[in-house]
Amino acid sequence: MLRFMCVGDSMTIGSAGEHTWRHRMWLHLRATGTDCAFVGPRTALHGGGHAYADPDFPQAHFAGWGEGWQHMAPAIADAVTETRADVLLISLGLIDLGFYTNAEQTAENVRRFVTEARTADQALRMVVLPVIPNIRAESDAPFAAQVAHFNTLLAKVVADLDEPRSPLLLASVPDSYDIHTDTYDGTHPNASGEHKLAASFANALHQAWGIGAPYAAPLSLA
């Protein structure tokens, strides 16, 4: 059994009434016959409740509204030890760049995160999603430049730190991701956005490691 832990910010933890991309990912893995569990030290949505649109899935995760690489780096070793996670699915960076650190500092926190995670499990596998399109980048040119620069640095960090014993994989931003149709506020994913984020992780897992299958487009966005 593979133990997956979703690590992220507000786009990963979700709010009341949402499915979350975590749920979409779990449904995909289950449909492909992948023997897996979702683990993490937290289960709640933003605000502390558990009002998921569909509560019938493993809700454990390690995500927090307003949290970024700099918040997760010092806590990831304990989370991996506690949960015995095998694979981390990570979506972080927007919060760091928006409020805390520049592109270079954020990239250094990625390195710290990977190093700390491996102290808990030297065979840990990690899949990292770049910072995806968001409304601030659309209207704030300097911020957009920082996002682009960070994503370039992130690709370098992943290449530098990837190793056979503990592979590190960079997922792809969905080509069709549109903040006007795939989010409800320019940043946080709606149903179609949740599917596209889950697809990015699912396709990376399948293409690189043969886990699961390519993500199947949903018949309905409910």
Side-chain angles (χ1 to χ4, degrees), residues 163-214:
E163 59 182 55
R165 183 176 58 176
S166 175
L168 186 59
L169 181 62
L170 187 66
S172 298
V173 174
D175 291 336
S176 62
Y177 200 85
D178 185 336
I179 65 171
H180 303 290
T181 57
D182 295 322
T183 76
Y184 61 80
D185 61 358
T187 297
H188 300 95
N190 57 20
S192 64
E194 290 172 356
H195 281 292
K196 289 180 179 181
L197 294 183
S200 289
F201 285 110
N203 292 336
L205 287 169
H206 178 67
Q207 291 166 9
W209 302 331
I211 296 173

Side-chain angles (χ1 to χ4, degrees), residues 16-55:
E18 296 177 15
H19 287 270
T20 73
W21 70 259
R22 299 182 278 116
H23 181 203
R24 313 294 188 180
M25 186 68 184
W26 176 73
L27 289 175
H28 164 78
L29 291 171
R30 187 177 67 170
T32 63
T34 305
D35 187 14
C36 66
F38 274 33
V39 300
R42 304 171 184 174
T43 58
L45 293 158
H46 175 55
H50 292 80
Y52 288 87
D54 182 354

Side-chain angles (χ1 to χ4, degrees), residues 120-153:
D121 182 353
Q122 295 182 356
L124 186 68
R125 289 189 270 183
M126 292 171 263
V127 186
V128 185
L129 185 69
V131 175
I132 63 175
N134 60 88
I135 195 167
R136 180 173 171 183
E138 186 176 74
S139 59
D140 183 338
F143 179 71
Q146 279 288 293
V147 170
H149 184 37
F150 169 71
N151 282 344
T152 299
L153 294 175

Side-chain angles (χ1 to χ4, degrees), residues 60-133:
H61 62 80
F62 190 33
W65 201 279
E67 297 188 49
W69 288 105
Q70 76 161 16
H71 303 89
M72 295 302 190
I76 190 61
D78 286 345
V80 171
T81 298
E82 175 186 339
T83 62
R84 296 181 290 112
D86 301 303
V87 182
L88 305 185
L89 306 178
I90 309 163
S91 174
L92 291 168
L94 179 60
I95 294 299
D96 303 82
L97 298 170
F99 298 98
Y100 303 112
T101 50
N102 63 26
E104 289 83 2
Q105 292 166 332
T106 305
E108 283 304 309
N109 283 329
V110 177
R111 290 181 181 275
R112 180 186 175 197
F113 177 102
V114 172
T115 300
E116 291 293 327
R118 285 173 172 163
T119 65
D121 182 353
Q122 295 182 356
L124 186 68
R125 289 189 270 183
M126 292 171 263
V127 186
V128 185
L129 185 69
V131 175
I132 63 175

